[in-house]
Amino acid sequence: MQLVWLRNDLRVSDNPALYAACESAQPVEVVFIATPGQWQQHNWGSNKISWVAANLKSLKQQLNQLNIPLHISSCDAFENVPQHLNELMAELGATSLLCNAEPGFNESVRDHRVQEILVNSGYSWQRFAESNLLDYDAILTGKGAPYRVFTPFLRNARRWLSSNNPQPLPAITTLPQVLGQQLDRWHSRPPYQLSWPPGELQAWRTLQAFIDSPIQQYQTARDVPSIAGTSRLSPYMAIGAISPINIYKQLQQLSHGDGETTWLNELIWREFYRYLMHHYPRLSKNLAMYPNKEPCWDNNSHWFSCWAEGKTGFPLVDAGMRELNNTGWMHNRLRMLCASFLVKDLHLDWRLGEAYFMSKLIDGDFASNNGGWQWAAGCGADAAPYFRHFSPTRQAQRFDAKAVYQQRHLPELINGYPPPMVDHKAQCQRFSARVKELSNGV
Ligand code: FAD
């Protein structure tokens, strides 16, 4: 029997490991291993954990229809996974393990150890390339080095896409025989109130609803947080409920207006952050791409609480943080503003904000979150320059002039609002001066 180990690829369609297993003449079973201790170390919160649990439930039904059992088991952390899988292989009578690569340093160390232990025990092991839209080793500068700046990466990525035209795998048609018994050792938490219906089918419906029409206005609507101008596909993409190649395939069938082009660029931003992690493993180790652009930090814990609770006295920042706290999701414009505010106005360590976002987001994704935070903090690849600051007042005038979004998340706004906790201009000037000193080696 072939055991397919799913991680952040909770889907049937365009899943290389599952497809290869089903193509073989042998029975197939699938396992998901929950690692609550590791999730805690990676700052996963209950939104993301409940989201994974809800999607596993849906995946189980989907796999049942293909006669493929899904075993959900659990061990504490990545370091326990190799031994755990070795025992599971024996218990289930599996002969080979198949999985798809996923980004991240801890993840590749874990996979390396799993491979070692399984091969030593006489099992076969196959890890398929990560299911990305682009080939990260093929997109390099003229000198053969990985890019650090988005625009030339984007140009090259688009060229690569037109000449390679990546295709999703064909649908799985064979119905492998059932073998083994359900283990269900890990009992998921009680369902949390989430506004996204779980499952691969829902991911496709969300995509369809977006490309049916809103995509045509995406280039402008995406910046207005009070309207549903973006796809809201991120929770599905973060757990791999839909593959980027499948999304690209659907996109190709549309006309190529400004909305479609801008949306593809955003998908390529996602690829860019995964690409950076692939080429610069230090990004997975809590390090900045450019450490000399990180000033020393004030780290005032009271200020951090004000930010996290949405009580800074800047209504747009507070509305963003309340959206995050109350729904587990935040509009991209607000993610940029709130991240910039934490670093450039409050002079707090971007890692605190990165961890806080991760603990709340339903779409928490290490590469995009880390990339977004380093971009906003000014120490990442292609970061917003240190002297460019998001002004909460100006952002509100430009993107929420009638305060529709702010009032939705801050009902108290109607009765007046507490004063700003800091002087935006003075704080940003201090920030810029510090980064300048650092870069000059003062
Ligand atoms: P759409 O605008 O419809 O875009 C389609 C898809 O493209 C998204 O679902 C997402 O997968 C990808 N995408 C869009 N914009 C970006 C971007 N700037 N960077 C990377 N991918 C992008 N995204 C996450 O999925 N998980 C995170 O943990 C995360 N953390 C972030 C933290 C910060 C500080 C910032 C500035 C951005 C972060 N993003 C993250 C990126 C972006 O905010 C979300 O992907 C987007 O808001 C999701 O909404 P949507 O699905 O409607 O996106």
Side-chain angles (χ1 to χ4, degrees), residues 218 230-234 263 266 332 335 363 365 369:
Y218 179 75
T230 66
S231 69
R232 295 172 71 95
L233 260 179
S234 53
W263 200 59
E266 292 308 310
N332 182 57
R335 294 190 205 206
D363 67 10
D365 171 83
N369 195 37

Side-chain angles (χ1 to χ4, degrees), residues 187-225:
H187 293 286
S188 56
R189 296 168 181 224
Y192 197 75
Q193 204 51 43
L194 298 169
S195 41
W196 276 261
E200 186 168 351
L201 183 62
Q202 294 296 341
W204 280 87
R205 284 191 181 139
T206 306
L207 173 64
Q208 194 58 50
F210 179 67
I211 65 178
D212 272 351
S213 144
I215 196 171
Q216 289 151 22
Q217 279 78 48
Y218 179 75
Q219 75 279 17
T220 46
R222 74 194 190 105
D223 275 323
V224 184

Side-chain angles (χ1 to χ4, degrees), residues 214-389:
I215 196 171
Q216 289 151 22
Q217 279 78 48
Y218 179 75
Q219 75 279 17
T220 46
R222 74 194 190 105
D223 275 323
V224 184
S226 59
I227 58 174
T230 66
S231 69
R232 295 172 71 95
L233 260 179
S234 53
Y236 298 105
M237 294 190 74
I239 54 159
I242 185 162
S243 88
I245 300 183
N246 262 328
I247 296 177
Y248 179 65
K249 184 90 192 140
Q250 299 303 311
L251 199 51
Q252 272 183 310
Q253 288 161 21
L254 308 176
S255 63
H256 297 286
D258 287 350
E260 289 82 355
T261 307
T262 313
W263 200 59
L264 177 58
N265 289 353
E266 292 308 310
L267 294 172
I268 297 178
W269 264 109
R270 178 179 180 273
E271 294 285 315
F272 182 55
Y273 287 138
R274 297 169 90 83
Y275 167 93
L276 291 173
M277 282 183 64
H278 172 77
H279 287 291
Y280 302 101
R282 68 173 182 277
L283 295 178
S284 299
K285 298 177 191 169
N286 244 352
L287 299 173
M289 178 64 106
Y290 294 108
N292 68 341
K293 290 190 180 168
E294 292 179 290
C296 47
W297 309 95
D298 287 344
N299 285 346
N300 176 329
S301 59
H302 173 63
W303 280 12
F304 178 77
S305 307
C306 293
W307 173 84
E309 290 167 22
K311 293 182 177 164
T312 66
F314 289 95
L316 191 58
V317 173
D318 294 348
M321 294 307 293
R322 306 275 183 99
E323 179 179 33
L324 176 67
N325 291 336
N326 295 334
T327 70
W329 190 83
M330 193 200 271
H331 190 280
N332 182 57
R333 182 133 297 275
L334 276 306
R335 294 190 205 206
M336 293 191 289
L337 173 65
C338 294
S340 168
F341 187 84
L342 182 92
V343 177
K344 296 184 176 177
D345 289 58
L346 301 185
H347 307 163
L348 292 165
D349 189 335
W350 59 270
R351 295 169 189 83
L352 292 173
E354 180 199 14
Y356 187 78
F357 267 29
M358 199 66 194
S359 73
K360 294 286 172 187
L361 284 170
I362 178 181
D363 67 10
D365 171 83
F366 182 73
S368 298
N369 195 37
N370 180 273
W373 272 94
Q374 293 213 31
W375 178 89
C379 57
D382 202 19
Y386 70 89
F387 50 81
R388 191 172 299 150
H389 304 123

